[in-house]
C-alpha cells in the first residue's frame, strides 16, 4: 500500500486542523485502556461527530494525530450511525490504509457501508463510473476498488443492456485488475454486531 500521509498534504491541511487543536492538544491517549476509555470526553465527542460525517476531516485529523488511529478504528466497529452522510471515497480509502494494522471485519464492513452506493443500471452512468474506477484503481484502497468493481459487474449481469453495450462495459471492466483483498464479509466474532437494516 502507498503511504497515507505526505508533507504536502499536511501543509495543505494546516489551516483546517487548527479548529481541532484546542481539543486534541489538551488530551492524551492512555495506553492499555479500551478505545474510548483511552481519551477525554471532548475528544470522544469530536471523533463521534467526525465518524458520522464524510470522513474527510476524520482522516485529516488522524494524519496530524496518528496516536488516535487505533482507537478510532476500534470504535468504528460499533459506529452504527443514524445519519445519511456518505463517506467521501478518497477519505474512506485513506482511512482503510491507516487502519490496516487494526483491521477487524466489522471495522471494514462499517467503512464500506458508508460508501456512496452505485445502483444505476444506466449504461452512461456505469461507463462514467468505470472511467473513474479505472483512473483511481492505483489510488483507492483495493477493498474499495473491488467493492465497486463487483457492484458494477452485478449490474451489468442483471441489466437489460443491448449486447453491444454489454461488451463495451465488460471490456472497460477488464481494464480494472481483479485483486484478492481482505475478506470482510466472512462470519467472525463481530458478526453479531450486524444490524439488519444495515446489511
Amino acid at each position: 500500500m502507498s503511504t497515507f500521509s505526505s508533507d504536502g498534504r499536511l501543509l495543505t491541511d494546516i489551516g483546517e486542523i487548527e479548529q481541532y487543536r484546542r481539543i486534541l492538544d489538551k488530551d492524551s491517549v492512555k495506553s492499555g485502556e479500551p478505545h474510548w476509555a483511552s481519551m477525554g470526553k471532548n475528544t470522544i465527542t469530536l471523533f463521534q461527530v467526525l465518524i458520522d460525517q464524510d470522513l474527510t476531516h476524520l482522516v485529516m485529523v488522524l494524519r496530524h494525530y496518528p496516536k488516535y488511529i487505533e482507537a478510532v478504528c476500534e470504535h468504528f466497529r460499533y459506529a452504527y450511525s443514524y445519519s445519511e452522510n456518505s463517506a467521501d471515497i478518497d477519505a474512506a480509502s485513506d482511512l482503510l490504509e491507516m487502519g490496516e494494522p487494526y483491521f477487524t471485519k466489522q471495522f471494514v464492513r462499517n467503512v464500506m457501508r458508508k460508501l456512496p452506493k452505485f445502483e444505476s443500471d444506466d449504461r452512461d452512468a456505469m461507463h462514467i463510473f468505470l472511467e473513474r474506477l479505472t483512473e483511481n484503481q492505483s489510488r483507492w484502497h483495493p477493498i474499495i476498488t473491488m467493492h465497486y468493481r463487483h457492484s458494477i459487474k452485478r449490474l451489468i449481469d442483471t441489466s437489460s443492456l443491448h449486447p453491444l453495450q454489454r461488451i463495451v462495459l465488460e471490456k472497460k471492466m477488464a481494464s480494472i485488475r481483479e485483486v484478492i483483498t481482505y475478506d470482510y464479509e466472512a462470519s467472525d466474532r463481530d458478526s453479531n454486531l450486524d444490524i439488519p437494516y444495515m446489511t
Side-chain angles (χ1 to χ4, degrees):
M1 299 297 157
S2 61
T3 180
F4 60 77
S5 64
S6 68
D7 293 340
R9 264 180 170 168
L10 292 175
L11 288 172
T12 302
D13 294 343
I14 203 74
E16 293 186 330
I17 197 67
E18 290 304 320
Q19 62 187 306
Y20 303 113
R21 287 196 189 283
R22 60 188 178 82
I23 295 173
L24 297 171
D25 285 349
K26 292 177 184 176
D27 196 27
S28 60
V29 176
K30 302 172 194 72
S31 62
E33 295 288 342
H35 60 292
W36 270 182
S38 69
M39 60 188 81
K41 288 182 181 177
N42 288 339
T43 305
I44 293 168
T45 302
L46 171 63
F47 280 121
Q48 286 172 331
V49 169
L50 295 178
I51 285 171
D52 188 53
Q53 298 303 312
D54 71 0
L55 304 185
T56 305
H57 277 222
L58 174 67
V59 166
M60 177 188 67
V61 166
L62 293 177
R63 282 191 201 114
H64 288 266
Y65 294 89
K67 65 184 179 182
Y68 291 109
I69 293 173
E70 182 176 7
V72 166
C73 292
E74 175 67 13
H75 185 72
F76 223 108
R77 294 171 60 201
Y78 310 98
Y80 296 106
S81 170
Y82 290 100
S83 83
E84 296 180 359
N85 298 316
S86 293
D88 173 84
I89 299 175
D90 291 327
S93 174
D94 288 345
L95 181 60
L96 287 175
E97 283 198 32
M98 290 179 181
E100 280 190 356
Y102 314 109
F103 268 10
T104 62
K105 293 185 173 94
Q106 198 61 32
F107 160 62
V108 178
R109 280 193 282 256
N110 284 348
V111 173
M112 302 309 288
R113 284 172 174 156
K114 280 188 69 72
L115 289 174
K117 291 179 173 49
F118 187 88
E119 298 173 331
S120 173
D121 62 358
D122 175 75
R123 178 189 64 88
D124 290 337
M126 284 193 278
H127 192 272
I128 289 168
F129 196 82
L130 280 171
E131 287 281 354
R132 186 179 179 197
L133 204 52
T134 303
E135 290 169 7
N136 286 283
Q137 66 177 317
S138 297
R139 158 77 180 92
W140 288 346
H141 194 284
I143 290 175
I144 291 179
T145 303
M146 290 303 98
H147 164 77
Y148 281 120
R149 188 184 193 281
H150 296 151
S151 295
I152 296 175
K153 176 79 165 63
R154 280 193 299 271
L155 288 168
I156 291 172
D157 290 345
T158 58
S159 64
S160 55
L161 291 166
H162 184 281
L164 289 178
Q165 293 175 333
R166 188 182 305 276
I167 288 168
V168 169
L169 289 171
E170 286 175 345
K171 184 176 180 182
K172 190 71 184 166
M173 178 80 70
S175 68
I176 302 164
R177 62 189 175 279
E178 186 81 27
V179 178
I180 297 172
T181 63
Y182 184 81
D183 186 9
Y184 61 92
E185 294 180 335
S187 163
D188 69 347
R189 69 187 179 91
D190 281 347
S191 294
N192 62 348
L193 296 176
D194 283 327
I195 294 177
Y197 68 78
M198 294 197 71
T199 56

